[in-house]
Amino acid sequence: MKFMDLLCELISAARGEIEVDLLIQGADIANTISGEIHKADIAIHKGRVVGFDCCSAQEILDLDGSLIVPSFIDGHVHVESSMVTIPEYARAIVPRGTTTVIIDPHEIANVMGLNGIMYMLKSSMYVPLNVFLMLSSCVPATNFETSGAVLDTTAMKKIIGHKQVLGLAEMMNYPGVINRDHVLLEKIKLAGTKRIDGHCPHLTGKDLAAYIVPGIKSDHESTSLSEAAEKLRKGMYIMVREGSTAKNLKDLLPLINPVNSRQFLFVSDDRNAADILNEGHIDFMVRTAILEGLDPILAFQIASLNAAQYFGLNDLGAIAPGFRADLVALDNLVDLHILKVIKDGRLVADGGRFLAKLKMVPRPTRSKMRIANIDLISFEINAVSSKARVIGLVKDQLTTKSLVCDVQPKDGKVESDINRDILKMAVVERHYATGNIGLGLVHGFGLRVGSIASSVAHDSHNIVVIGTTSKEMLAAVLAMKEMNGGLVVIRDGKAVARLKLPIAGILSDMPLNFVADSIGICIEAAHDLGCSLEDPFMALSFLCLPVIPELKLTDKGLVDVASFDFVPLFVRDQEIGATS
Amino acid sequence: MKFMDLLCELISAARGEIEVDLLIQGADIANTISGEIHKADIAIHKGRVVGFDCCSAQEILDLDGSLIVPSFIDGHVHVESSMVTIPEYARAIVPRGTTTVIIDPHEIANVMGLNGIMYMLKSSMYVPLNVFLMLSSCVPATNFETSGAVLDTTAMKKIIGHKQVLGLAEMMNYPGVINRDHVLLEKIKLAGTKRIDGHCPHLTGKDLAAYIVPGIKSDHESTSLSEAAEKLRKGMYIMVREGSTAKNLKDLLPLINPVNSRQFLFVSDDRNAADILNEGHIDFMVRTAILEGLDPILAFQIASLNAAQYFGLNDLGAIAPGFRADLVALDNLVDLHILKVIKDGRLVADGGRFLAKLKMVPRPTRSKMRIANIDLISFEINAVSSKARVIGLVKDQLTTKSLVCDVQPKDGKVESDINRDILKMAVVERHYATGNIGLGLVHGFGLRVGSIASSVAHDSHNIVVIGTTSKEMLAAVLAMKEMNGGLVVIRDGKAVARLKLPIAGILSDMPLNFVADSIGICIEAAHDLGCSLEDPFMALSFLCLPVIPELKLTDKGLVDVASFDFVPLFVRDQEIGATS
């Protein structure tokens, strides 16, 4: 329908001159604009709210006794963390009341660059979910690893003007910003008047101000009240995060009051399939916040209007004439069960059941694992000394310890030492078949047999594998190649559990509950191998990320994050004092 | 300074690596973001706030004991109502704490079209005042009059992309919108994602929704609590107005609470020179609102941050890193006297004294009065019957009554009847020298001798004159031509008081206090002629505006606003029943 015709029809509908498409009767509405909960019929036409007065309608939906709120907006999310495609993500979160997401396609961008970003945009075309995008600002995260793509200013220029692109995603490289890295400042310049999201854990004082000055106006990394309070005072929007690993909602809630609440958004950042299924999405945050004592109308504003206003989405986040008819019907203010979800005036979820038809778009090209020929020798670690650096897992943390341990080479080779839980680890480059393999040692997984591997390995998503023997590790990498990426558990050279992630090696093409179940099966199989970690694949996926301390392994080698440089696997005797 | 160099220097300054330009010490600040009043030193560099931490500074300003707030933003103002140029307007309002205005150059656009708008933008280049512009949407207001220009979609297209243009100004023709006038809808389409301000007095129910649906998101015409409450519920931003004629602040204040306050802005709309001088500007609204019980931090948000957020001005409205250093220092929270005003980091007003140097731009071309040859005969009213329509003034209102009165023609001509206060009135076209003269009769001015005239005559600003004789009226129009527009009081054929308005016939090039004094002198002179109105020139200026009921006169003739059509001056006997 042409713009002018649509405008005319909407005006006619608002005036009651023509029958509207839908009239919702009998409900209370949470009016995020006027800050009230009040009774109102909602007239909807061509996907928009056209008024509160009773009109003649094609269809009447009686929601007497329910509370209608604007549907939820996730202000910052890496959909890839759920390991499903956008349509499947929609199937999972729309019944939870989220109908708008601001995605940062950082993971797929690291694998596929602009093609990956375009794939995310394309696959959002036919879903009952508004997908807006913040351009990943730090691809690759570092030069210590081989990523699938580099998203430089030239590449970003091609897409910054896209109507779904709202700005620049989390500027993770905060040291780069405050040290005036020109490449980063060029990206900031490119954003122009669009939003630039921040990412600055524990940054404080003058450095925080220096980071904000170029126009970085939000942060989702606050974990304490004092951290968020300082960022707020210095003008930032506080994206309150409730992810799978980082859960900050309850800690930050006490900061919110009616006079500053417009500065807060709810975001999920990284939320895995199981948590979405079991707890929910933004609805979980709204429910928890209200239970913790937040004024419900503030909670609904934070969950919708605030994000809309921050991102300049002027027709989202409220129920009023001209706004898109994206609504959630709740049973009441106590239980906050979601009865129905309406997107652009259509019922898309009812009682948790997703009703819309989904259209999948073809998988992107260049999704295959490109691995150079490897064999058992590829996994051999030649002993240089009897002391080696070992990555030490820290329970429930993404950080690791940099350990130095004695090793007992056999025939000049170091093998996994099962009894001391020092296992061999490899990172196999898989984007260009360069043949790069980083070799290292890790403590804390507790495998007694077999191996586990993943092509989800932040941020470059090479293949990371740990195993009890080179043979089991080789089997894992070959299985990974055959699967085109995913998670795999190997025992006696055979895959005993796996989740295929054929899209860029990081996304499944199956529904979220399948993914959650499969991950569960993989974890269980890893436990059967002797692993004691609650989620060994989560731990595995962060072993390669050289921006989180202390010791990480990439396809290019071992990285000491504190010195921000490569270090050798073996420690010469005279060095020990300095490193242990 | 190049963008990248500036960015680098600001970051350095924020980190304390270099001396900052200015450090303000010892004050409390009203933090409109965090909603607190807290102590903070303010480091300023290159016109921006760069932090709160103590740095080494070139200059230190000790403001111990004062309260620093973001300087004020007037969200909707016709500068022309003050009858001064932008630089002189700045001289008047900057010491009052306003450093940003969103202007609607509706009056000068009606006289000079795009040239007038460009003149306003140009004359804002060298003032310590941020001037943003909403494009006048209804020029001319009606087709019943000869305006100096037509601002059609083609003309608007040329300027809508200008960086100071934030959208479309007050869409006054609300009947046109809800009746789907395509010319108006094309203008709305042109605005794209930019803001569209509304103007819809007393509009309610379905018609209000129909008006809002196309994206008209604000209104400044609410005069009652219930009217504003309905507009708020339907999603509008409420611009609370305290003009010279319309004063709505006290009536609307009770609607504001912390949960909805972000939807409110303060605006002056039409505020004359005397009121700015005697009461103030946005500072007057802040002071009054706090005195009436509004939480001061909400008042400061409404006076700054809210307008900035509504218009997407992301670096205005708060005191925090990256924001422009536009600040006001107040003595305390009770008296709210303005001590100092800082604009882009420079002290521009101190103790009410304006410190900046102003640079005037040349007057626009085409400013002259273009009047066809006129003589005494031009003012002759030939009697057609003994009953004539007379415009009846209503005390303190812009509306008029449509009266029918007996007239006593002499030699077939109707003259001013001083004893019954029925005076002759003329509207002389002055843009194209068409020779158009509208003739009529008016009751309520009370002149016993002389005449008064004005080239400020909404909205087309032709010359409006009333007088006791044709001779006095002719003298007034000739004086007006010689002055190139303004206000004039004639007695015995001579100008006894006048204010020249040589810029477009509506603006002086003198300072605001000169204008206020001159208007005072003109009013006094009019009182000496017998006029009993408090402000006869205000009344005069609205006699031509055919969108305000009931009877108005333009250069094309008498307009009956109810029937929205021309009517003859004389009533035939059989008509009387229908019109009286």
Side-chain angles (χ1 to χ4, degrees), chain A residues 15 17 180 207 262 306, chain B residues 15 180 207 262 306:
Chain A
R15 294 192 84 185
E17 295 168 353
R180 300 173 289 286
D207 281 348
R262 72 172 94 171
N306 293 8
Chain B
R15 293 193 82 186
R180 299 172 290 287
D207 281 348
R262 72 172 94 170
N306 293 8

Side-chain angles (χ1 to χ4, degrees), chain A residues 380-496:
Chain A
E380 280 184 359
I381 297 176
N382 293 309
V384 173
S385 81
S386 63
K387 296 207 178 287
R389 288 185 172 82
V390 175
I391 298 173
L393 291 189
V394 181
K395 197 173 171 332
D396 296 335
Q397 297 289 333
L398 305 182
T399 53
T400 62
K401 286 281 164 204
S402 180
L403 310 174
V404 173
C405 303
D406 287 320
V407 289
Q408 283 114 23
K410 264 187 209 166
D411 305 329
K413 316 282 180 205
V414 176
E415 300 295 342
S416 291
D417 183 340
I418 291 159
N419 291 328
R420 292 166 65 216
D421 188 20
I422 296 174
L423 301 182
K424 287 211 295 187
M425 168 180 172
V427 178
V428 181
E429 192 278 322
R430 60 94 160 176
H431 301 293
Y432 303 102
T434 56
N436 282 359
I437 296 187
L439 294 173
L441 297 165
V442 63
H443 171 73
F445 276 90
L447 296 194
R448 302 198 64 87
V449 290
S451 67
I452 61 175
S454 172
S455 60
V456 177
H458 301 287
D459 279 340
S460 290
H461 302 295
N462 288 302
I463 293 170
V464 57
V465 55
I466 61 165
T468 50
T469 67
S470 294
K471 210 169 146 188
E472 296 286 61
M473 290 169 81
L474 177 62
V477 175
L478 293 176
M480 194 64 75
K481 185 169 184 178
E482 188 250 322
M483 289 160 64
N484 264 324
L487 315 181
V488 71
V489 181
I490 298 288
R491 182 168 198 158
D492 299 330
K494 295 234 155 50
V496 292

Side-chain angles (χ1 to χ4, degrees), chain B residues 53 59 163 172 198 315 320 351 360 430 440 502 511:
Chain B
D53 297 289
E59 191 189 336
K163 66 177 197 290
M172 288 189 295
D315 57 0
M360 303 292 165
R430 60 97 160 175

Side-chain angles (χ1 to χ4, degrees), chain A residues 77-205:
Chain A
V77 54
H78 307 284
V79 172
E80 299 97 316
S81 296
S82 68
M83 297 189 196
V84 294
T85 60
I86 296 263
E88 293 300 345
Y89 190 68
R91 192 202 300 278
I93 64 165
V94 167
R96 295 290 195 165
T98 306
T99 61
T100 299
V101 288
I102 319 298
I103 68 168
D104 170 8
H106 175 77
E107 312 304 341
I108 202 163
N110 264 284
V111 178
M112 299 180 55
L114 268 190
N115 284 335
I117 293 173
M118 289 312 299
Y119 163 73
M120 295 300 265
L121 288 177
K122 269 185 210 144
S123 59
S124 73
M125 282 175 66
Y126 309 105
V127 295
L129 179 70
N130 304 318
V131 177
F132 296 98
L133 191 143
M134 296 291 274
L135 263 186
S136 311
S137 60
C138 303
V139 176
T142 70
N143 295 320
F144 297 123
E145 48 192 331
T146 306
S147 65
V150 175
L151 205 63
D152 58 14
T153 317
T154 312
M156 292 167 84
K157 257 187 198 154
K158 292 183 187 161
I159 196 174
I160 189 78
H162 191 288
K163 67 178 196 291
Q164 281 168 270
V165 175
L166 304 180
L168 220 56
E170 48 180 2
M171 187 53 84
M172 290 189 294
N173 189 353
Y174 55 87
V177 173
I178 65 179
N179 287 304
R180 300 173 289 286
D181 176 331
H182 267 247
V183 172
L184 293 175
L185 299 189
E186 284 289 353
K187 289 179 181 176
I188 286 172
K189 187 180 171 190
L190 183 69
T193 57
K194 295 194 174 198
R195 286 290 187 194
I196 306 170
D197 281 342
H199 173 115
C200 56
H202 308 307
L203 201 63
T204 182

Side-chain angles (χ1 to χ4, degrees), chain B residues 127 238 295 391 490 510:
Chain B
V127 296
I238 306 299
D295 179 350
I391 298 173
I490 298 288
M510 298 295 282

Side-chain angles (χ1 to χ4, degrees), chain A residues 8 15 17 31 33 36 178-180 207 210 217 233-234 237 259 262 301 306 309 314 321 323, chain B residues 15 17 31 33 36 178-180 207 210 217 232-234 237 259 262 301 306 309 314 321 323:
Chain A
C8 288
R15 294 192 84 185
E17 295 168 353
N31 193 319
I33 304 272
E36 313 157 284
I178 65 179
N179 287 304
R180 300 173 289 286
D207 281 348
K217 290 273 192 182
R233 276 193 175 185
K234 289 186 172 161
Y237 285 82
V259 181
R262 72 172 94 171
Q301 286 176 332
N306 293 8
Q309 291 187 341
N314 289 334
F323 280 79
Chain B
R15 293 193 82 186
E17 296 168 353
N31 192 318
I33 304 273
E36 311 158 285
I178 65 176
N179 286 306
R180 299 172 290 287
D207 281 348
K217 290 273 192 183
L232 180 67
R233 276 195 175 186
K234 289 184 174 163
Y237 285 80
V259 182
R262 72 172 94 170
Q301 286 176 332
N306 293 8
Q309 292 187 341
N314 290 332
F323 281 79

Side-chain angles (χ1 to χ4, degrees), chain B residues 291-310:
Chain B
L291 207 67
E292 294 281 314
L294 188 68
D295 179 350
I297 199 79
L298 294 188
F300 298 132
Q301 286 176 332
I302 294 171
S304 62
L305 183 66
N306 293 8
Q309 292 187 341
Y310 170 71

Side-chain angles (χ1 to χ4, degrees), chain A residues 358-373:
Chain A
L358 289 176
K359 188 174 162 189
M360 301 295 164
V361 301
R363 290 182 197 171
T365 52
R366 277 199 50 201
S367 259
K368 288 197 189 305
M369 296 285 112
R370 293 187 184 173
I371 305 171
N373 284 337

